[in-house]
Amino acid sequence: MSAGGSHKRIMKELSEITQSPPQGMKVSLVDESDVHVWEILMDGPEQSVYAGGHFKLLLTLPKDYPFKPPTLAFTTKIYHPNVTNDGKGAMCLGLLRPDEWKPPNKIAAVLDMTRSILVEPNLDDAVEGAIAEEYRTRRKEFDRKAREWVGKYAGRR
């Protein structure tokens, strides 16, 4: 796919997502002149410890999208085993690994999967081992800390 083909695919997906966004999300370009960087505003799913939180994520599409996967990062701090706790907020999603990414995959599926791991973390794919272990063995403590972080960083209403 040429650079023009990549741009066309990105514009098509952006149009589809802005017209019919995934549940609890708003998607926009960070800068109208760059279709490769999207801002996602996501409400914490009601059936999760993140309910009431409002999270900002940054989706970055490589120049050779869809042949290379996008990267997704939480810019709002979140206490979660699949999101790095280093200020970068990088997200570990199997779908986004270069060896698992397939060109037919769409950004809407990435966003749906992101929302679903807020409800049910993927402990086998954790980037924060201590948080994953806490989720596994001391769930009440995990829930308490996650809710605390929502209140502190994600503007719980």
Side-chain angles (χ1 to χ4, degrees):
M1 192 177 283
S2 66
S6 177
H7 183 86
K8 190 174 170 184
R9 161 84 182 255
I10 291 169
M11 291 307 295
K12 181 178 188 295
E13 288 196 54
L14 179 63
S15 172
E16 289 169 359
I17 286 177
T18 52
Q19 287 172 18
S20 180
Q23 181 185 354
M25 292 188 208
K26 278 190 210 149
V27 178
S28 60
L29 293 177
V30 171
D31 174 350
E32 292 295 322
S33 68
D34 184 0
V35 299
H36 291 93
V37 183
W38 299 13
E39 179 179 83
I40 291 95
L41 301 175
M42 181 188 335
D43 294 334
E46 285 306 316
Q47 66 276 40
S48 75
V49 293
Y50 306 102
H54 307 288
F55 300 90
K56 190 182 286 188
L57 296 89
L58 205 59
L59 179 95
T60 307
L61 297 156
K63 299 294 181 216
D64 46 4
Y65 178 82
F67 298 104
K68 294 277 187 336
T71 57
L72 189 62
F74 275 79
T75 58
T76 304
K77 282 183 70 110
I78 185 169
Y79 192 78
H80 193 283
N82 299 108
V83 180
T84 61
N85 215 345
D86 58 3
K88 293 185 178 93
M91 181 159 204
C92 187
L93 265 183
L95 179 66
L96 296 180
R97 281 205 190 97
D99 59 324
E100 292 193 28
W101 179 259
K102 305 281 183 274
N105 291 344
K106 290 191 159 201
I107 295 163
V110 171
L111 298 180
D112 286 339
M113 186 172 280
T114 301
R115 189 173 169 78
S116 72
I117 72 153
L118 290 188
V119 175
E120 190 62 47
N122 181 348
L123 301 180
D124 296 331
D125 216 5
V127 288
E128 292 293 340
I131 296 174
E133 187 59 27
E134 182 177 70
Y135 183 92
R136 246 187 223 106
T137 61
R138 297 183 317 283
R139 180 65 186 271
K140 283 184 177 158
E141 181 65 11
F142 168 85
D143 288 355
R144 185 191 65 72
K145 284 182 187 168
R147 285 190 184 103
E148 186 180 294
W149 280 43
V150 169
K152 204 183 277 187
Y153 304 111
R156 183 189 287 274
R157 287 189 259 195

